[in-house]
Amino acid sequence: LDLLKTEGRIITAEWDAEGVYFYQAFGEEIAGYAMQHQRLGGPNFNPARMTWIKPSFAWMLYRSGYGTKRSQSRILKVKLPHVVVAELLEKCKLVQIKQKGCAEGEQTAEQPKRNGIAQASAEGDDSSGNEDKDRFAQQMEGSGFDEISSAAGRGCTSRTQNTNEAMAEGILRVGGKGGRIQWDPERDLFEPNALRGSKREPRRLQKTRAIQIGLSAGLSEYYVDKALSITDVTDLARAIGNAHQTANQTQCQEAMKALAGCLPDERPYMPLLSVE
């Protein structure tokens, strides 16, 4: 686990025994339909088009301008079962971010050349060897994965003597052609960037990455079918935006403290993927 944290590429999400939460921003029509029917759909939603889901609320706030951008005025929180998250990730490939001469978000697709403790990072491979895999497997003990495995059931690695070793081998392994995994600089939910003119946004974290999962065609339709619940968190997004726009850091901290009970409890999450 420390190995992945060192690279800054580990999924952080709000999750419980039932599933994992992801965020998407839509316009009024799509969001209204989703809330009414508890399902993404309607005349303005195209399930065949690639759709991106994000477990980081702060990154979603950055991307959508706290839910104020055109066609991103409503932020939805979608819950997926653990086994569905694993199945979606197994059908994705890594999108490598250009390191130089490229703005944030620009990308080139490059398939990782090796599996292993697949970090789904820009490097895309692992050269740490079996010693790191063994250490990673040992650190999985007592870290909450029993809870995920029990909840996920079908399709996840069973809890046997070799489960943690298998997870070290297969965690976040990416392959297939149905979707994409992209890592971008994480954003700080509690603190905005330094004031730049009249624009503020969640502060960029240099050493931590936030995962985005792009789902196209059949994967997007599968995602829509398997959603457990959909919640509108637009009001919370805008309240955080108002807190971030306050005149000084002390006022921002006080405003965020008042919202503490409403904020997502995001913590490290390791989906149980197949090692085959």
Side-chain angles (χ1 to χ4, degrees):
L1 187 57
D2 288 343
L3 179 65
L4 296 180
K5 286 182 177 178
T6 298
E7 295 294 330
R9 296 174 175 92
I10 184 169
I11 295 177
T12 301
E14 182 180 5
W15 56 273
D16 57 25
E18 186 180 37
V20 190
Y21 293 96
F22 292 86
Y23 298 94
Q24 288 194 277
F26 294 105
E28 293 293 332
E29 295 80 5
I30 294 176
Y33 181 98
M35 292 306 301
Q36 180 180 353
H37 300 275
Q38 278 297 289
R39 177 185 174 85
L40 291 171
N44 296 301
F45 181 78
N46 182 3
R49 180 182 179 184
M50 175 167 279
T51 187
W52 291 85
I53 61 176
K54 311 162 185 68
S56 168
F57 191 37
W59 208 97
M60 186 73 265
L61 297 182
Y62 157 71
R63 184 65 175 172
S64 66
Y66 303 98
T68 62
K69 290 184 178 180
R70 185 172 179 268
S71 299
Q72 298 185 59
S73 58
R74 299 271 294 275
I75 298 179
L76 302 183
K77 183 177 182 178
V78 182
K79 189 174 190 180
L80 293 177
H82 294 285
V83 65
V84 172
V85 175
E87 289 172 346
L88 291 174
L89 286 172
E90 286 182 328
K91 292 176 175 62
C92 290
K93 67 178 179 180
L94 179 67
V95 173
Q96 179 166 322
I97 304 300
K98 294 179 180 178
Q99 297 301 309
K100 295 181 179 180
C102 180
E104 179 178 330
E106 287 187 31
Q107 54 206 242
T108 58
E110 178 174 323
Q111 188 75 10
K113 297 179 180 179
R114 294 180 56 191
N115 293 327
I117 307 178
Q119 301 166 21
S121 66
E123 293 76 15
D125 67 354
D126 169 55
S127 57
S128 56
N130 292 330
E131 182 178 347
D132 285 326
K133 294 177 185 178
D134 293 341
R135 180 165 61 87
F136 179 87
Q138 292 172 3
Q139 291 175 333
M140 290 301 99
E141 295 291 350
S143 61
F145 289 92
D146 287 329
E147 178 183 353
I148 300 175
S149 182
S150 175
R154 178 184 60 81
C156 293
T157 309
S158 61
R159 291 295 300 181
T160 66
Q161 182 177 357
N162 297 321
T163 296
N164 288 333
E165 181 179 349
M167 289 168 58
E169 225 14 91
I171 201 71
L172 291 186
R173 178 172 56 82
V174 289
K177 300 179 180 179
R180 298 180 181 180
I181 288 175
Q182 176 177 318
W183 293 91
D184 289 309
E186 177 63 286
R187 295 284 168 161
D188 190 344
L189 186 63
F190 296 91
E191 184 178 341
N193 63 346
L195 187 62
R196 297 176 181 174
S198 60
K199 180 181 179 182
R200 282 200 170 183
E201 60 191 25
R203 181 174 65 94
R204 176 171 173 163
L205 303 179
Q206 298 295 335
K207 296 183 179 181
T208 308
R209 300 286 169 176
I211 194 172
Q212 296 184 65
I213 304 170
L215 308 173
S216 61
L219 282 188
S220 177
E221 294 173 2
Y222 182 67
Y223 158 70
V224 168
D225 288 340
K226 296 300 182 180
L228 295 174
S229 65
I230 302 177
T231 306
D232 191 327
V233 292
T234 306
D235 288 345
L236 177 59
R238 293 177 180 171
I240 295 172
N242 290 335
H244 284 189
Q245 300 303 320
T246 51
N248 59 58
Q249 186 176 27
T250 300
Q251 290 179 331
C252 178
Q253 290 174 345
E254 290 298 320
M256 290 302 299
K257 187 182 297 184
L259 296 172
C262 303
L263 301 179
D265 178 19
E266 295 179 1
R267 51 200 172 107
Y269 175 76
M270 293 289 183
L272 301 179
L273 303 187
S274 167
V275 298
E276 296 178 0

